[in-house]
């Protein structure tokens, strides 16, 4: 048996690590003496190996054996050995997080690839292999659109046409689990990406294109999709493949042990697809009670904490209600954020969708939400605009926007004169909007944490030229004041937070780094030159607000 995809290094703590693989048949997979047997999904085989017995603050090279045969590293690889670096007290206050979203695969079509430009994560991996290990990132966070299920490369489209036996479903989108399998393999299979995923612990959350553009924009959108005869197969395949390829590795070993779904999948003798169909149906159902699946998660990275928010699948949309996530899941998020927060130097919240947009666009989304609630032609027009212009970020779910803002302001320590009792920084990492920026949040009378929205998008994709002008206008302070007054006159509530642009907007393929050192933090945005060399487009301290360098 051989590896088809992986290894991918996922959750890592002080003494253990999870290594995900896909093999070409049923097999036993071994990493550093730890073993796991594969489970089967529609003829595909996967394993999540929990490597145990590691020592804190150590670096360990590893290989992957499948049925006793060494399958990783690949023969003649010119990359350094894959490693596992554990957390520990020595590294607790120093961390480098690399993040970004919207990574379209190489199309292998000259016109498409020229339009897309160079993949920033690919370029980062190439540079990384020439650096000493202590300069490698500690964590990679992929913030959505890991795969584009509805925007396929010419190569994948051609394969669909030659392999699909049913005419049900769009010809230029994947529908089945097997088609998703090919999409993940195509997207994650190039050597640079495969290597960096094997050696940097990677956290992931989906966005709409992992399923379909505008996924869960509104109740109207859900009802429109439910009317499509192929949609039930598509959402089952999308959520089931996300659970296998992305979600499982976000969980800690203790959470995996507590997961009935993971236990059942491992115990099933043969194809576990019927169980994953049930899992996907539970995940897709809307309930404000205890959900069958919670895709939000938490990673403790020493004195830095990552709490990832599912801002796509967890939405509540039916019955005239609009919430970015259910009250139950929001309660869970607040519990994770506030748990022993006095010991946290830097709080990192992940959301595929930005919390703080360009102010003009933020007010437009809030006004659109108000309009879409009206009956008749006004409501219908507002819904068409919402779907056509992708007006579905946090400000378009204003009650959830307010709750998130209040949670952040509470942790930031409003009126708290002792800064050591609150995190030094609170950063919301996001993507989606195809431009990169840092926005500073301003809460009245706050003396605590510095609060930022940090957006890195895209890692590898293109933006229509006219949208650059739209985003620049969206950041205009003068226009923002006019639109805010207009929004207020049309019924938009008072904002729970104000914000200003601290850096950007930056356009083009970008990879960002959040670097923490004690209670200091900075963010760096890098973009590839024509030869693939990354240059610093912007570099800013989050603790003294100095922009040290801005490239062109």
């Amino acid at each position: 048996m051989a590896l088809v995809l992986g290894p991918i290094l996922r959750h890592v703590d002080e003494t253990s690590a999870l290594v995900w693989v896909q093999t070409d048949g049923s097999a036993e997979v071994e990493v550093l003496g730890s073993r796991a047997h594969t489970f089967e999904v529609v003829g595909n085989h996967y394993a999540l190996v929990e490597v145990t017995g590691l020592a804190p603050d150590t670096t360990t090279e590893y290989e992957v054996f499948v049925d006793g045969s060494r399958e990783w590293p690949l023969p003649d690889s010119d990359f350094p050995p894959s490693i596992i670096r554990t957390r520990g007290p020595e590294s607790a206050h120093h961390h480098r997080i690399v993040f970004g979203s919207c990574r379209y695969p190489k199309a292998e079509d000259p016109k498409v690839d020229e339009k897309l430009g160079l993949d920033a994560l690919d370029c980062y991996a190439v540079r990384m292999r020439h650096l000493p290990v202590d300069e490698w990132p500690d964590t990679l966070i992929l913030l959505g659109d890991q795969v584009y299920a509805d925007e396929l490369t010419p190569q994948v489209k051609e394969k669909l046409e030659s392999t699909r036996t049913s005419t049900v479903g769009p010809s230029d989108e994947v529908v089945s689990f097997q088609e998703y399998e090919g999409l993940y393999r195509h997207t994650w299979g190039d050597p640079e990406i495969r290597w960096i995923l094997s050696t940097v612990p990677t956290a992931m959350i989906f966005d709409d294109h992992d399923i379909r553009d505008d996924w869960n924009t509104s109740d109207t959108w859900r009802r429109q999709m439910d009317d499509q005869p192929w949609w039930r197969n598509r959402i089952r395949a999308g959520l089931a493949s996300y659970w296998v390829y992305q979600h499982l590795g976000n969980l800690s070993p203790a959470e995996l042990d507590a997961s009935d779904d993971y236990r059942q999948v491992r115990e099933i003798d043969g194809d576990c697809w019927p169980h994953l169909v049930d899992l996907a149906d539970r995940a897709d159902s809307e309930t404000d009670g205890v959900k069958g699946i919670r895709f939000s998660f938490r990673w403790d990275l020493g004195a830095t904490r990552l709490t990832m928010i599912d801002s796509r699948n967890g939405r509540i949309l039916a019955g005239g209600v609009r919430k970015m996530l259910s009250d139950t899941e929001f309660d869970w998020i607040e519990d994770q954020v506030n748990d022993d927060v006095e010991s946290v130097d830097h709080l990192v919240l992940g959301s595929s969708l930005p919390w703080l947009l360009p102010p003009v666009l933020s007010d437009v989304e809030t006004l659109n939400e108000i309009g879409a609630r009206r009956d008749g032609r006004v409501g219908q027009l507002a819904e068409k605009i919402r779907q056509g212009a992708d007006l579905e970020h946090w400000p378009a779910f204003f009650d959830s926007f307010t709750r998130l803002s209040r949670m952040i302001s509470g942790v930031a320590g409003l009126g708290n004169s002792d800064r050591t009792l609150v995190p030094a920084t609170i950063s919301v990492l996001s993507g989606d909007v195809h431009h990169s920026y840092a926005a500073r949040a301003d809460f009245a009378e706050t003396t605590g944490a510095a609060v930022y929205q940090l957006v890195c998008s895209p890692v590898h994709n293109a933006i229509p030229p006219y949208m650059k002008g739209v985003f620049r206008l969206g950041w205009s302070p003068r226009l923002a004041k006019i639109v805010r007054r207009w929004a207020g006159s049309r019924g938009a509530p008072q904002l729970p937070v104000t914000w200003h642009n601290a850096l950007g907007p930056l356009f083009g393929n970008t990879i960002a780094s959040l670097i923490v050192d004690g209670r200091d933090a900075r963010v760096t945005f890098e973009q590839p030159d024509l030869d693939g060399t990354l240059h610093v487009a912007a570099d800013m301290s989050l603790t003294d607000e100095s922009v040290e360098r801005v490239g062109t």
Side-chain angles (χ1 to χ4, degrees), residues 10-14 87-88 91-98 138-141 201-203 297-307 343-346 348 429 514 516:
R10 302 303 309 276
H11 185 278
V12 174
D13 56 29
E14 288 80 3
R87 322 282 185 213
S91 58
H93 299 279
H94 309 276
H95 210 85
R96 180 186 295 266
I97 295 172
V98 173
D138 300 286
T139 302
L140 171 63
I141 302 177
T202 303
F297 61 93
R298 165 181 164 179
W299 281 16
D300 290 315
L301 310 172
T304 298
R305 176 177 300 163
L306 166 66
T307 304
S343 67
V344 175
D345 285 340
H346 303 277
V348 178
L429 309 187
L514 174 62
V516 303

Tab-separated table of all heavy atoms in Angstrom, residues 10-14 87-88 91-98 138-141 201-203 297-307 343-346 348 429 514 516:
chain	number	residue	atom	x	y	z
A	10	ARG	N	-1.293	17.839	12.081
A	10	ARG	CA	-2.446	18.612	12.553
A	10	ARG	C	-2.229	19.040	14.005
A	10	ARG	O	-1.246	19.676	14.322
A	10	ARG	CB	-3.733	17.800	12.363
A	10	ARG	CG	-4.018	17.366	10.902
A	10	ARG	CD	-4.103	18.538	9.917
A	10	ARG	NE	-4.993	19.565	10.351
A	10	ARG	CZ	-6.309	19.573	10.177
A	10	ARG	NH1	-6.894	18.573	9.551
A	10	ARG	NH2	-7.040	20.578	10.605
A	11	HIS	N	-3.123	18.703	14.910
A	11	HIS	CA	-3.037	19.175	16.297
A	11	HIS	C	-1.770	18.639	16.974
A	11	HIS	O	-1.479	17.447	16.935
A	11	HIS	CB	-4.270	18.716	17.074
A	11	HIS	CG	-4.338	19.241	18.477
A	11	HIS	ND1	-3.659	18.649	19.529
A	11	HIS	CD2	-5.002	20.301	19.005
A	11	HIS	CE1	-3.899	19.310	20.637
A	11	HIS	NE2	-4.711	20.322	20.356
A	12	VAL	N	-1.030	19.549	17.610
A	12	VAL	CA	0.182	19.187	18.343
A	12	VAL	C	0.116	19.846	19.716
A	12	VAL	O	-0.262	21.012	19.836
A	12	VAL	CB	1.454	19.650	17.596
A	12	VAL	CG1	2.700	19.391	18.435
A	12	VAL	CG2	1.570	18.956	16.248
A	13	ASP	N	0.478	19.099	20.749
A	13	ASP	CA	0.568	19.682	22.084
A	13	ASP	C	1.932	19.368	22.689
A	13	ASP	O	2.908	19.158	21.949
A	13	ASP	CB	-0.592	19.220	22.976
A	13	ASP	CG	-0.689	17.707	23.097
A	13	ASP	OD1	0.351	17.023	22.993
A	13	ASP	OD2	-1.809	17.189	23.301
A	14	GLU	N	2.029	19.282	24.015
A	14	GLU	CA	3.327	19.105	24.666
A	14	GLU	C	3.917	17.718	24.437
A	14	GLU	O	5.135	17.561	24.358
A	14	GLU	CB	3.199	19.358	26.175
A	14	GLU	CG	2.988	20.805	26.553
A	14	GLU	CD	1.541	21.255	26.386
A	14	GLU	OE1	0.688	20.407	26.014
A	14	GLU	OE2	1.251	22.436	26.624
A	87	ARG	N	4.907	21.626	21.858
A	87	ARG	CA	4.782	22.803	22.701
A	87	ARG	C	5.486	22.540	24.032
A	87	ARG	O	5.790	21.399	24.369
A	87	ARG	CB	3.321	23.131	22.983
A	87	ARG	CG	2.367	22.909	21.835
A	87	ARG	CD	2.407	23.991	20.811
A	87	ARG	NE	1.394	23.793	19.786
A	87	ARG	CZ	1.542	24.146	18.521
A	87	ARG	NH1	2.657	24.716	18.123
A	87	ARG	NH2	0.580	23.956	17.634
A	88	GLY	N	5.689	23.597	24.794
A	88	GLY	CA	6.289	23.425	26.107
A	88	GLY	C	6.575	24.750	26.771
A	88	GLY	O	6.384	25.820	26.174
A	91	SER	N	8.891	27.417	24.944
A	91	SER	CA	8.356	28.101	23.748
A	91	SER	C	7.009	28.758	24.002
A	91	SER	O	6.403	29.290	23.064
A	91	SER	CB	8.210	27.086	22.610
A	91	SER	OG	7.351	26.013	22.985
A	92	ALA	N	6.533	28.740	25.238
A	92	ALA	CA	5.165	29.174	25.525
A	92	ALA	C	4.899	30.620	25.150
A	92	ALA	O	3.783	30.975	24.771
A	92	ALA	CB	4.854	28.963	27.011
A	93	HIS	N	5.908	31.494	25.247
A	93	HIS	CA	5.693	32.922	25.030
A	93	HIS	C	6.231	33.417	23.688
A	93	HIS	O	6.341	34.625	23.478
A	93	HIS	CB	6.316	33.712	26.181
A	93	HIS	CG	5.713	33.393	27.519
A	93	HIS	ND1	4.534	33.952	27.956
A	93	HIS	CD2	6.121	32.544	28.490
A	93	HIS	CE1	4.233	33.469	29.158
A	93	HIS	NE2	5.182	32.618	29.509
A	94	HIS	N	6.576	32.483	22.818
A	94	HIS	CA	7.093	32.846	21.500
A	94	HIS	C	6.371	31.986	20.465
A	94	HIS	O	6.405	30.753	20.563
A	94	HIS	CB	8.600	32.631	21.414
A	94	HIS	CG	9.367	33.262	22.539
A	94	HIS	ND1	9.742	34.587	22.533
A	94	HIS	CD2	9.789	32.750	23.729
A	94	HIS	CE1	10.379	34.869	23.652
A	94	HIS	NE2	10.424	33.777	24.396
A	95	HIS	N	5.742	32.614	19.498
A	95	HIS	CA	4.976	31.836	18.529
A	95	HIS	C	4.870	32.603	17.220
A	95	HIS	O	4.635	33.813	17.214
A	95	HIS	CB	3.574	31.540	19.076
A	95	HIS	CG	3.007	30.253	18.578
A	95	HIS	ND1	3.264	29.035	19.169
A	95	HIS	CD2	2.213	29.983	17.509
A	95	HIS	CE1	2.647	28.078	18.502
A	95	HIS	NE2	2.006	28.633	17.488
A	96	ARG	N	5.023	31.878	16.132
A	96	ARG	CA	4.855	32.446	14.785
A	96	ARG	C	3.711	31.709	14.107
A	96	ARG	O	3.804	30.510	13.835
A	96	ARG	CB	6.136	32.311	13.969
A	96	ARG	CG	6.029	32.884	12.546
A	96	ARG	CD	7.288	32.573	11.744
A	96	ARG	NE	8.453	33.238	12.315
A	96	ARG	CZ	8.908	34.424	11.913
A	96	ARG	NH1	8.285	35.063	10.923
A	96	ARG	NH2	9.965	34.956	12.473
A	97	ILE	N	2.629	32.439	13.856
A	97	ILE	CA	1.453	31.891	13.184
A	97	ILE	C	1.428	32.427	11.756
A	97	ILE	O	1.430	33.642	11.541
A	97	ILE	CB	0.162	32.287	13.910
A	97	ILE	CG1	0.112	31.673	15.309
A	97	ILE	CG2	-1.064	31.871	13.103
A	97	ILE	CD1	-1.040	32.175	16.150
A	98	VAL	N	1.397	31.536	10.781
A	98	VAL	CA	1.226	31.921	9.383
A	98	VAL	C	-0.228	31.669	9.014
A	98	VAL	O	-0.793	30.625	9.366
A	98	VAL	CB	2.176	31.120	8.472
A	98	VAL	CG1	1.880	31.391	7.003
A	98	VAL	CG2	3.621	31.457	8.793
A	138	ASP	N	5.397	28.114	13.652
A	138	ASP	CA	4.935	27.151	14.650
A	138	ASP	C	3.542	26.623	14.330
A	138	ASP	O	3.196	25.507	14.728
A	138	ASP	CB	4.923	27.810	16.033
A	138	ASP	CG	6.300	28.296	16.438
A	138	ASP	OD1	7.147	27.457	16.773
A	138	ASP	OD2	6.524	29.528	16.406
A	139	THR	N	2.746	27.421	13.646
A	139	THR	CA	1.370	27.028	13.319
A	139	THR	C	0.974	27.651	11.988
A	139	THR	O	1.328	28.797	11.701
A	139	THR	CB	0.379	27.495	14.409
A	139	THR	OG1	0.758	26.946	15.670
A	139	THR	CG2	-1.050	27.056	14.091
A	140	LEU	N	0.242	26.902	11.183
A	140	LEU	CA	-0.355	27.394	9.943
A	140	LEU	C	-1.866	27.352	10.106
A	140	LEU	O	-2.423	26.326	10.508
A	140	LEU	CB	0.073	26.519	8.764
A	140	LEU	CG	-0.613	26.752	7.409
A	140	LEU	CD1	-0.341	28.151	6.878
A	140	LEU	CD2	-0.169	25.697	6.394
A	141	ILE	N	-2.525	28.469	9.832
A	141	ILE	CA	-3.983	28.542	9.926
A	141	ILE	C	-4.544	28.851	8.543
A	141	ILE	O	-4.246	29.902	7.961
A	141	ILE	CB	-4.441	29.613	10.936
A	141	ILE	CG1	-3.852	29.330	12.324
A	141	ILE	CG2	-5.964	29.653	11.011
A	141	ILE	CD1	-4.201	30.385	13.366
A	201	PRO	N	2.197	22.306	12.088
A	201	PRO	CA	0.850	21.999	12.583
A	201	PRO	C	-0.185	22.932	11.957
A	201	PRO	O	-0.046	24.157	12.017
A	201	PRO	CB	0.964	22.230	14.093
A	201	PRO	CG	2.423	22.039	14.395
A	201	PRO	CD	3.147	22.559	13.187
A	202	THR	N	-1.226	22.360	11.367
A	202	THR	CA	-2.152	23.137	10.551
A	202	THR	C	-3.573	23.043	11.086
A	202	THR	O	-4.121	21.958	11.255
A	202	THR	CB	-2.121	22.659	9.088
A	202	THR	OG1	-0.777	22.751	8.591
A	202	THR	CG2	-3.028	23.512	8.218
A	203	ALA	N	-4.160	24.204	11.347
A	203	ALA	CA	-5.565	24.325	11.730
A	203	ALA	C	-6.349	24.820	10.519
A	203	ALA	O	-5.845	25.632	9.733
A	203	ALA	CB	-5.719	25.293	12.902
A	297	PHE	N	-13.534	25.265	17.208
A	297	PHE	CA	-12.571	24.523	18.025
A	297	PHE	C	-11.585	25.483	18.675
A	297	PHE	O	-11.546	26.674	18.351
A	297	PHE	CB	-11.831	23.473	17.195
A	297	PHE	CG	-11.020	24.022	16.046
A	297	PHE	CD1	-9.667	24.330	16.201
A	297	PHE	CD2	-11.592	24.232	14.799
A	297	PHE	CE1	-8.916	24.841	15.152
A	297	PHE	CE2	-10.852	24.732	13.735
A	297	PHE	CZ	-9.508	25.037	13.913
A	298	ARG	N	-10.779	24.938	19.576
A	298	ARG	CA	-9.802	25.729	20.335
A	298	ARG	C	-8.459	25.026	20.331
A	298	ARG	O	-8.379	23.809	20.508
A	298	ARG	CB	-10.295	25.915	21.774
A	298	ARG	CG	-9.234	26.391	22.771
A	298	ARG	CD	-9.830	26.503	24.155
A	298	ARG	NE	-8.820	26.579	25.210
A	298	ARG	CZ	-9.108	26.709	26.508
A	298	ARG	NH1	-10.371	26.784	26.898
A	298	ARG	NH2	-8.134	26.756	27.404
A	299	TRP	N	-7.398	25.798	20.117
A	299	TRP	CA	-6.028	25.315	20.287
A	299	TRP	C	-5.316	26.208	21.298
A	299	TRP	O	-5.372	27.447	21.189
A	299	TRP	CB	-5.245	25.363	18.968
A	299	TRP	CG	-5.549	24.233	18.033
A	299	TRP	CD1	-6.617	23.378	18.064
A	299	TRP	CD2	-4.764	23.841	16.896
A	299	TRP	NE1	-6.548	22.489	17.015
A	299	TRP	CE2	-5.436	22.750	16.287
A	299	TRP	CE3	-3.593	24.312	16.330
A	299	TRP	CZ2	-4.937	22.113	15.143
A	299	TRP	CZ3	-3.096	23.688	15.193
A	299	TRP	CH2	-3.758	22.597	14.604
A	300	ASP	N	-4.653	25.602	22.254
A	300	ASP	CA	-3.807	26.337	23.191
A	300	ASP	C	-2.367	26.266	22.706
A	300	ASP	O	-1.788	25.176	22.601
A	300	ASP	CB	-3.929	25.751	24.602
A	300	ASP	CG	-5.284	26.037	25.225
A	300	ASP	OD1	-5.735	27.187	25.125
A	300	ASP	OD2	-5.889	25.113	25.801
A	301	LEU	N	-1.805	27.426	22.411
A	301	LEU	CA	-0.459	27.538	21.837
A	301	LEU	C	0.439	28.253	22.843
A	301	LEU	O	0.886	29.369	22.616
A	301	LEU	CB	-0.518	28.297	20.514
A	301	LEU	CG	-1.569	27.795	19.508
A	301	LEU	CD1	-1.680	28.739	18.325
A	301	LEU	CD2	-1.250	26.380	19.048
A	302	GLY	N	0.684	27.607	23.974
A	302	GLY	CA	1.430	28.263	25.036
A	302	GLY	C	0.603	29.385	25.627
A	302	GLY	O	-0.545	29.195	26.023
A	303	ALA	N	1.185	30.577	25.677
A	303	ALA	CA	0.467	31.739	26.217
A	303	ALA	C	-0.409	32.411	25.166
A	303	ALA	O	-0.989	33.465	25.424
A	303	ALA	CB	1.464	32.740	26.788
A	304	THR	N	-0.502	31.819	23.991
A	304	THR	CA	-1.395	32.288	22.933
A	304	THR	C	-2.526	31.288	22.777
A	304	THR	O	-2.290	30.075	22.779
A	304	THR	CB	-0.644	32.441	21.605
A	304	THR	OG1	0.393	33.414	21.751
A	304	THR	CG2	-1.577	32.874	20.487
A	305	ARG	N	-3.747	31.772	22.646
A	305	ARG	CA	-4.899	30.883	22.482
A	305	ARG	C	-5.591	31.177	21.166
A	305	ARG	O	-5.869	32.333	20.840
A	305	ARG	CB	-5.899	31.057	23.630
A	305	ARG	CG	-7.178	30.211	23.468
A	305	ARG	CD	-8.097	30.372	24.652
A	305	ARG	NE	-7.416	29.958	25.865
A	305	ARG	CZ	-7.830	30.287	27.084
A	305	ARG	NH1	-8.899	31.058	27.244
A	305	ARG	NH2	-7.165	29.868	28.139
A	306	LEU	N	-5.866	30.114	20.419
A	306	LEU	CA	-6.650	30.208	19.185
A	306	LEU	C	-8.028	29.628	19.443
A	306	LEU	O	-8.159	28.475	19.849
A	306	LEU	CB	-5.964	29.431	18.058
A	306	LEU	CG	-6.824	29.170	16.803
A	306	LEU	CD1	-7.163	30.476	16.088
A	306	LEU	CD2	-6.109	28.198	15.856
A	307	THR	N	-9.053	30.435	19.205
A	307	THR	CA	-10.433	29.950	19.223
A	307	THR	C	-11.020	30.192	17.841
A	307	THR	O	-11.179	31.335	17.417
A	307	THR	CB	-11.276	30.666	20.286
A	307	THR	OG1	-10.660	30.513	21.567
A	307	THR	CG2	-12.675	30.071	20.341
A	343	SER	N	-4.317	34.218	32.063
A	343	SER	CA	-3.013	33.608	31.756
A	343	SER	C	-2.634	33.726	30.293
A	343	SER	O	-1.563	33.256	29.884
A	343	SER	CB	-3.036	32.123	32.157
A	343	SER	OG	-3.928	31.391	31.331
A	344	VAL	N	-3.498	34.342	29.483
A	344	VAL	CA	-3.282	34.418	28.034
A	344	VAL	C	-2.638	35.750	27.677
A	344	VAL	O	-3.166	36.816	28.015
A	344	VAL	CB	-4.623	34.251	27.281
A	344	VAL	CG1	-4.423	34.453	25.783
A	344	VAL	CG2	-5.221	32.876	27.568
A	345	ASP	N	-1.487	35.697	26.992
A	345	ASP	CA	-0.843	36.926	26.522
A	345	ASP	C	-1.499	37.445	25.251
A	345	ASP	O	-1.630	38.660	25.063
A	345	ASP	CB	0.650	36.672	26.252
A	345	ASP	CG	1.466	36.557	27.527
A	345	ASP	OD1	0.999	37.035	28.580
A	345	ASP	OD2	2.570	35.978	27.465
A	346	HIS	N	-1.882	36.531	24.379
A	346	HIS	CA	-2.451	36.936	23.090
A	346	HIS	C	-3.625	36.016	22.761
A	346	HIS	O	-3.470	34.799	22.697
A	346	HIS	CB	-1.400	36.882	21.986
A	346	HIS	CG	-0.201	37.716	22.267
A	346	HIS	ND1	-0.152	39.072	22.022
A	346	HIS	CD2	0.993	37.384	22.826
A	346	HIS	CE1	1.024	39.537	22.399
A	346	HIS	NE2	1.733	38.545	22.891
A	348	VAL	N	-6.277	34.892	19.988
A	348	VAL	CA	-6.491	34.874	18.538
A	348	VAL	C	-7.838	34.228	18.267
A	348	VAL	O	-8.094	33.097	18.684
A	348	VAL	CB	-5.370	34.098	17.828
A	348	VAL	CG1	-5.635	34.053	16.323
A	348	VAL	CG2	-4.008	34.723	18.114
A	429	LEU	N	-8.467	36.834	13.043
A	429	LEU	CA	-7.877	36.471	11.750
A	429	LEU	C	-8.986	36.029	10.805
A	429	LEU	O	-9.815	35.188	11.163
A	429	LEU	CB	-6.867	35.339	11.918
A	429	LEU	CG	-5.779	35.488	12.983
A	429	LEU	CD1	-4.781	34.332	12.877
A	429	LEU	CD2	-5.072	36.826	12.868
A	514	LEU	N	1.568	36.303	12.043
A	514	LEU	CA	1.361	36.934	13.344
A	514	LEU	C	2.448	36.408	14.264
A	514	LEU	O	2.498	35.202	14.546
A	514	LEU	CB	-0.027	36.603	13.895
A	514	LEU	CG	-0.335	37.083	15.316
A	514	LEU	CD1	-0.282	38.603	15.403
A	514	LEU	CD2	-1.692	36.563	15.777
A	516	VAL	N	4.371	36.576	17.881
A	516	VAL	CA	4.270	37.026	19.263
A	516	VAL	C	5.575	36.702	19.991
A	516	VAL	O	6.171	35.645	19.800
A	516	VAL	CB	3.066	36.399	19.991
A	516	VAL	CG1	1.785	36.707	19.251
A	516	VAL	CG2	3.220	34.904	20.168
